[in-house]
Amino acid sequence: MKGKHNSPNRTLAEIGEFGLIGMLRDWLSSGDPRIVLGIGGDAAALEVSGERLLLATSDIQIEETHFRRRYATMEQIGWKAMAISLSDIAAMGGAPTYALVSLGLCPQLTEDEFGKLFAGLQRAASIHGAKIVGGNLAFSGNRILVDVTLLGEVERDKILRRAGAHPGDRIYVSGFPGQSAAGYAVLNRLDRERQTPFSELIRAHLEPQPRLALGRLLAERRLASACIDISDGLSQDLSRLCEASGVGAEISADRLPLSPELQALAGQLRLDPLQLALHGGEDYELLFAVRLEVPPEKLKALQRETGTPLTEIGRILPAEEGLWLQRSGKRARLEPRGWDHFRSQSEKQ
Amino acid sequence: MKGKHNSPNRTLAEIGEFGLIGMLRDWLSSGDPRIVLGIGGDAAALEVSGERLLLATSDIQIEETHFRRRYATMEQIGWKAMAISLSDIAAMGGAPTYALVSLGLCPQLTEDEFGKLFAGLQRAASIHGAKIVGGNLAFSGNRILVDVTLLGEVERDKILRRAGAHPGDRIYVSGFPGQSAAGYAVLNRLDRERQTPFSELIRAHLEPQPRLALGRLLAERRLASACIDISDGLSQDLSRLCEASGVGAEISADRLPLSPELQALAGQLRLDPLQLALHGGEDYELLFAVRLEVPPEKLKALQRETGTPLTEIGRILPAEEGLWLQRSGKRARLEPRGWDHFRSQSEKQ
């Protein structure tokens, strides 16, 4: 990745903006014939297929709001910034294609740190078939910020939407919701030696794995009537899916897949594992509805092929019933709760 | 623009992230059938034409680095953030289509300020036929930041590139280079009552007009052999065009169009007007090369139709000659100089 640039301790102030752009150009050279003009022009020029829909999403990650350099490496910061956008494309059944990256940097950063940040972005993109084709650099004071815009594409008649769930549909979730919030608790509440048993939780928080293969196959095989990623928390995003579909839903607390690490941590820190799983957020798992007539074997096959655990956690209800949580035979209203940066910040002040 | 939200003094902390997203959804509702899914989904889903190239550019504007609330209104901040990306599309002869906007906001901002910031973004986009289809909001401490990703399209065989200029081509520039840098000097070095005669310069700095009609017609009529916008300064961007084309160039200082306001300001502040025009930056004018065989009448017609002054300022030379500035019959090397945020910031520290 370093090529001809090898003074890892030079600061960005010493390299200068134009030096950095030169480094990016070296890192991003690509033989893809669909990239007619890549980085270094006024805009990237790309060949697209008019038969498919173009998907476009952007997500900004800001130091101290979304991540802390105290516990995330530069490569993890880059990885996660890209993974969040990849998850948006996964939730629509798409294939990611091209990314633009805007970086707000601090002049005190070193060439090595800059290289690692970019390597994280590029590794997450390239594993999933996306190429970084543009972006820009700016000075942002003392907070690093990474804004990724990701393009993707999907067949017009296969796109996964939030709208489309019907009463009676089964509700599935991938992976283990709550892992990321639990990882955040590990990083903030346990000192380093006590973190060791919880490495899976930390990884879920710092290096989330977007569910692109799952999203693609759900779309290809038309298995999902509606789909969303649970980046803002299962309860919040379930409520959004229901709103878009014009339906209600019932989730079974007893069926929610809780990982052994999450349960162990919840015991140790006296947290409610159910609260973590329902409202934790930042999980980048997919939540989707499946028509009753789809044989469960098809979901089992999908689980095997993608290596992604899939769990049936509830049912879609008619709109007038609203949202419910069933627990040990009792039913209670499920209140959607998500993370509100503006509110939470102002409460701190 | 306000609709059902009318408590202009509520702060963003009071409105909350989800309240803000609801406001955006109201503002951005659109009847465009090419927007299959707009704001509020995981990603926007857009119909694109496979016959054209997709253009994609992003530009970030950060408070204190790129703008100051002391002299820019919220609407101007929004306008300029969008205009910069529009200029990138103009420089490639494209038509802007869709934008994604990432905003880093402070909880202390009011609903009214947020509305004006967004109105500026939307006004610049809609005047030029672009629609905002997505984006995201985050808390960014005490600096506002606005990152715009703009998509556009252009006919495959008409795209304007930096590469393509040939020795002998005439070099043209639109408008009056140096206006924006002069406006910056007015805002920073003159008190308010002395700013009045220089309103044109201030407007050039705070509300730049991207040259989309000019770029489109240059592309349609195949008048330019190469094109770039001079956002980083005429000398810097000329040097980039020459590097991409594998040519040199000679600029005539006597021909550079200097506005009367710029000359008056330079006299008052003892600035060199030529330095402002050559190295000022942030002009968002187009610099382009025209083959010798193109009749000058075609450029005159273009000037009339677009209402944009076009001035011939020099010639493309063979690569080995490099870059020259001719002034009163004498020739001197032209050193490309641009604004380097990282260097300039670190010098201040």
Side-chain angles (χ1 to χ4, degrees):
Chain A
M1 182 110 183
K2 286 295 150 45
K4 60 193 170 194
H5 313 284
N6 40 25
S7 323
N9 296 320
R10 275 195 305 173
T11 66
L12 301 198
E14 288 160 353
I15 299 170
E17 191 173 0
F18 302 112
L20 288 172
I21 292 169
M23 289 163 65
L24 288 179
R25 204 175 306 179
D26 288 352
W27 294 343
L28 294 176
S29 63
S30 154
D32 184 345
R34 293 181 65 199
I35 306 174
V36 178
L37 287 169
I39 200 147
D42 286 291
L46 309 164
E47 283 187 12
V48 291
S49 158
E51 286 150 49
R52 295 184 187 161
L53 291 175
L54 177 73
L55 303 176
T57 181
S58 63
D59 288 283
I60 192 162
Q61 292 277 295
I62 302 176
E63 187 169 354
E64 295 306 315
T65 299
H66 301 95
F67 62 85
R68 298 206 167 87
R69 272 192 267 175
R70 187 161 41 83
Y71 54 65
T73 67
M74 294 302 283
E75 191 159 2
Q76 286 169 332
I77 294 165
W79 170 279
K80 186 167 177 177
M82 184 63 71
I84 291 169
S85 287
L86 288 164
S87 179
D88 286 329
I89 300 295
M92 300 181 77
T97 52
Y98 302 109
L100 296 111
V101 175
S102 291
L103 296 174
L105 300 167
C106 322
Q108 299 81 358
L109 279 183
T110 66
E111 173 169 344
D112 188 52
E113 290 169 317
F114 174 66
K116 284 181 173 149
L117 176 67
F118 208 79
L121 284 158
Q122 218 174 2
R123 194 163 56 83
S126 68
I127 285 175
H128 296 290
K131 296 206 169 79
I132 299 172
V133 293
N136 67 117
L137 302 172
F139 170 76
S140 58
N142 52 0
R143 287 185 178 205
I144 294 175
L145 52 101
V146 186
D147 191 22
V148 171
T149 295
L150 185 66
L151 305 179
E153 47 183 29
V154 66
E155 293 85 346
R156 209 170 282 258
D157 58 339
K158 288 185 181 158
I159 185 170
L160 300 178
R161 302 169 185 253
R162 294 177 177 184
H166 295 79
D169 290 0
R170 293 187 294 260
I171 301 170
Y172 282 83
V173 71
S174 67
F176 298 96
Q179 295 289 92
S180 176
Y184 182 79
V186 171
L187 289 165
N188 281 283
R189 297 175 56 179
L190 295 180
D191 44 40
R192 204 160 284 243
E193 52 267 39
R194 291 165 69 212
Q195 293 180 359
T196 317
F198 304 115
S199 61
E200 275 303 307
L201 303 177
I202 295 174
R203 189 158 14 204
H205 185 67
L206 297 179
E207 298 171 36
Q209 303 294 323
R211 299 298 192 186
L212 282 152
L214 174 61
R216 283 301 299 144
L217 290 176
L218 283 173
E220 291 281 356
R221 299 178 188 174
R222 302 176 199 272
L223 293 175
S225 54
C227 185
I228 193 168
D229 79 345
I230 53 171
S231 50
D232 288 329
L234 198 157
S235 66
Q236 184 67 251
D237 287 312
L238 171 66
S239 140
R240 288 197 181 125
L241 183 146
C242 287
E243 196 190 324
S245 294
V247 297
E250 180 179 73
I251 296 295
S252 161
D254 310 320
R255 287 186 171 196
L256 275 180
L258 304 175
S259 75
E261 293 89 352
L262 180 135
Q263 298 190 54
L265 179 80
Q268 191 169 326
L269 295 181
R270 302 192 185 181
L271 298 168
D272 180 353
L274 190 61
Q275 297 298 310
L276 288 170
L278 284 174
H279 312 298
E282 289 212 275
D283 278 318
Y284 308 105
E285 297 293 348
L286 298 186
L287 178 82
F288 54 98
V290 175
R291 303 299 285 273
L292 209 52
E293 56 264 34
V294 173
E297 296 77 54
K298 292 209 171 180
L299 278 299
K300 292 215 178 85
L302 194 56
Q303 174 166 321
R304 271 197 312 277
E305 286 170 72
T306 59
T308 308
L310 300 178
T311 311
E312 187 185 336
I313 58 168
R315 282 292 165 100
I316 297 292
L317 302 176
E320 56 274 19
E321 298 208 33
L323 291 183
W324 293 94
L325 181 70
Q326 212 189 50
R327 194 176 188 176
S328 318
K330 283 186 193 153
R331 223 183 177 207
R333 284 279 169 204
L334 175 61
E335 294 297 331
R337 279 203 273 132
W339 182 255
D340 188 318
H341 288 300
F342 293 94
R343 290 230 163 91
S344 58
Q345 286 292 338
S346 60
E347 281 158 16
K348 280 184 209 153
Q349 282 158 2
Chain B
M1 181 111 182
K2 286 292 150 50
K4 60 192 168 193
H5 312 286
N6 39 25
S7 323
N9 297 320
R10 275 196 304 174
T11 66
L12 301 199
E14 288 160 352
I15 301 170
E17 191 173 1
F18 302 112
L20 288 171
I21 291 169
M23 288 163 66
L24 288 178
R25 204 176 304 179
D26 287 351
W27 295 344
L28 294 175
S29 64
S30 155
D32 184 344
R34 294 181 64 197
I35 306 175
V36 178
L37 287 170
I39 200 144
D42 286 292
L46 309 164
E47 284 189 10
V48 293
S49 159
E51 286 150 48
R52 296 184 186 159
L53 291 174
L54 177 74
L55 303 176
T57 180
S58 62
D59 287 283
I60 192 164
Q61 293 277 296
I62 302 176
E63 186 169 354
E64 295 306 312
T65 300
H66 300 95
F67 62 86
R68 297 206 167 88
R69 272 192 267 175
R70 187 159 41 81
Y71 53 67
T73 67
M74 294 301 284
E75 191 160 1
Q76 286 169 332
I77 293 165
W79 170 280
K80 186 167 177 176
M82 185 62 72
I84 290 169
S85 288
L86 288 164
S87 180
D88 287 328
I89 300 295
M92 301 180 78
T97 51
Y98 302 109
L100 295 111
V101 175
S102 291
L103 297 175
L105 299 167
C106 322
Q108 298 81 1
L109 278 184
T110 66
E111 173 170 344
D112 187 53
E113 290 169 319
F114 175 67
K116 284 181 172 150
L117 176 67
F118 208 79
L121 284 158
Q122 219 174 1
R123 195 163 56 85
S126 68
I127 284 177
H128 295 289
K131 295 206 170 81
I132 299 173
V133 293
N136 67 116
L137 302 172
F139 170 75
S140 59
N142 51 1
R143 288 185 176 206
I144 293 175
L145 52 100
V146 186
D147 192 22
V148 171
T149 295
L150 185 66
L151 306 179
E153 47 182 29
V154 65
E155 294 86 344
R156 211 168 280 259
D157 58 339
K158 287 184 180 157
I159 185 170
L160 300 178
R161 301 168 186 256
R162 294 178 177 184
H166 295 79
D169 289 359
R170 294 187 293 260
I171 301 169
Y172 282 83
V173 71
S174 67
F176 298 97
Q179 295 289 93
S180 176
Y184 182 79
V186 171
L187 290 165
N188 281 284
R189 296 175 56 180
L190 295 180
D191 44 41
R192 206 161 280 245
E193 52 266 40
R194 291 165 70 213
Q195 292 181 0
T196 318
F198 304 117
S199 60
E200 274 301 307
L201 303 177
I202 294 174
R203 187 156 18 204
H205 185 66
L206 297 180
E207 298 170 39
Q209 303 295 324
R211 299 298 192 186
L212 282 152
L214 175 62
R216 282 301 299 146
L217 290 176
L218 283 172
E220 291 280 355
R221 300 178 187 174
R222 301 175 200 276
L223 292 175
S225 55
C227 185
I228 193 168
D229 80 345
I230 54 171
S231 50
D232 288 329
L234 197 157
S235 66
Q236 184 68 251
D237 288 311
L238 171 67
S239 139
R240 289 197 181 125
L241 183 147
C242 287
E243 197 190 324
S245 294
V247 296
E250 181 179 73
I251 296 296
S252 162
D254 310 320
R255 286 186 172 196
L256 275 180
L258 304 174
S259 74
E261 292 88 353
L262 179 135
Q263 297 190 51
L265 179 80
Q268 190 169 327
L269 295 181
R270 302 195 185 179
L271 297 169
D272 181 352
L274 190 62
Q275 297 297 309
L276 287 171
L278 284 174
H279 311 299
E282 289 209 277
D283 279 317
Y284 309 105
E285 298 293 348
L286 299 185
L287 179 81
F288 55 97
V290 176
R291 303 298 286 272
L292 209 50
E293 55 266 32
V294 174
E297 295 76 55
K298 292 209 172 182
L299 277 300
K300 292 215 177 85
L302 195 56
Q303 175 166 319
R304 269 197 314 275
E305 286 169 72
T306 59
T308 309
L310 300 177
T311 311
E312 187 185 333
I313 60 167
R315 283 293 166 98
I316 297 293
L317 302 175
E320 57 274 18
E321 296 208 32
L323 291 183
W324 293 93
L325 181 69
Q326 212 190 48
R327 191 176 191 177
S328 318
K330 284 185 191 153
R331 224 183 177 207
R333 285 279 168 205
L334 174 61
E335 295 297 333
R337 279 203 273 132
W339 182 256
D340 188 318
H341 289 297
F342 294 95
R343 289 230 162 92
S344 59
Q345 287 292 340
S346 61
E347 279 159 15
K348 280 185 210 152
Q349 282 159 0

